[in-house]
Amino acid sequence: LTLGQGAFFALGCYAMGMYLMRQIGDRGVYGNPELPDFIVFLNWTELTLYWAGCDNAFVMILFVFSGPGLLAFI
């Protein structure tokens, strides 16, 4: 992949990773059912705005395809 195509692939993978981090739930290292492990590790108390909707599979699948498509359009 060229660098430009890799950016689109990485954006879709990042969105899928966000969804998967929310699906871990209390099976993570820190056992917090609401927050992903890295947010608990950083001592944050709540999710940031761009994590809203990450626990919904339909929203994240839509973002996996529309996010890189929008970036490519720009």
Side-chain angles (χ1 to χ4, degrees):
L1 294 174
T2 64
L3 185 59
Q5 292 168 333
F8 304 133
F9 184 73
L11 184 60
C13 289
Y14 187 82
M16 190 64 197
M18 289 172 69
Y19 171 72
L20 293 174
M21 286 297 294
R22 294 286 292 159
Q23 296 307 307
I24 291 173
D26 60 353
R27 294 181 306 256
V29 174
Y30 296 101
N32 190 327
E34 298 296 321
L35 299 173
D37 284 344
F38 75 94
I39 290 180
V40 175
F41 176 77
L42 294 173
N43 292 325
W44 295 353
T45 57
E46 59 186 26
L47 292 173
T48 55
L49 181 62
Y50 60 87
W51 278 82
C54 288
D55 52 349
N56 187 340
F58 179 74
V59 171
M60 290 313 293
I61 289 173
L62 183 68
F63 183 71
V64 163
F65 291 109
S66 67
L70 182 63
L71 181 65
F73 180 74
I74 293 172

